[in-house]
Amino acid sequence: MTTSEDAKKVPAKDPWDLPDVSGLVVGVLGGTGDQGRGLAYRLAKAGQQVIIGSRAAERAQAAAEELGLGIEGLDNAECARRSDIVIVAVPWEGHAKTLEALREELAGKLVVDCVNPLGFDKQGAYALKPEEGSAAQQAAALLPESRVTAAFHHLSAVLLSDPEVAEIDTDVMVLGEKRADTDVVQALAGRIPGMRGVYAGRLRNAHQVESLVANLISANRRYKAHAGLRVTDI
């Protein structure tokens, strides 16, 4: 017998039922750096419309022309204005200053922070902990009118940029406050062959995700590899 309470129950949403993001414009701040260029290249190769942003429009244009695939190059502010999703791939040292300067242009945008706060010494890479808790939380604090998520931390820039590599065999940990936003970022990650976006919690959990890069750097040095991550049993 079906009760009125049973009738009101909504079936659980399939976590792999992700939105179509193929029509969204993706901007990459720091797109002239290794990580940013690699992401721009892979997403454009997958058919995404991509804009590279840089402090100097000339540098962005030169990088875009070198990559081809219809990628545009603009200064950071215009890149932010023209994009639906904005990936932040700037060096940690310039993270806060860059975002502070773009607060107005990034208002209302879906921002994907992939910055890893790291230090380096004779013993190798080690994680830094920002005052806000993580780079992603710093971004959220600096961009109160943006929808900040975190993803794309554990990707090898070497593999991303290598045209001989057909697939990037890795999972992308995606964090954020709203499931609708993380679904979009997961779907974006899934546009790249071999890659899968996996929901990994709220932004308060971003520090350990960002920090894990230090461990991957150590593994890569020991095994002369370009290690990524796979999450099992999902």
Side-chain angles (χ1 to χ4, degrees), residues 201-220:
R202 295 179 179 268
L203 288 185
R204 68 180 184 180
N205 294 322
H207 172 64
Q208 57 262 39
V209 173
E210 296 169 2
S211 300
L212 188 58
V213 174
N215 303 92
L216 291 177
I217 289 172
S218 297
N220 286 336

Side-chain angles (χ1 to χ4, degrees), residues 92-93 116-120 125-128 210-214 217:
W92 166 240
E93 293 74 18
N116 302 305
L118 297 175
F120 296 86
Y126 59 95
L128 304 174
E210 296 169 2
S211 300
L212 188 58
V213 174
I217 289 172

Side-chain angles (χ1 to χ4, degrees), residues 41-95:
Y41 170 69
R42 288 290 164 176
L43 289 169
K45 192 174 182 181
Q48 211 74 35
Q49 184 178 347
V50 176
I51 301 173
I52 282 178
S54 177
R55 286 178 297 175
E58 297 79 12
R59 288 184 62 200
Q61 289 164 1
E65 288 174 8
E66 185 178 337
L67 291 172
L69 299 171
I71 298 172
E72 292 184 74
L74 301 169
D75 64 65
N76 280 334
E78 192 60 23
C79 172
R81 288 190 199 99
R82 292 265 307 276
S83 302
D84 301 306
I85 305 174
V86 180
I87 297 173
V88 181
V90 300
W92 166 240
E93 293 74 18
H95 184 259

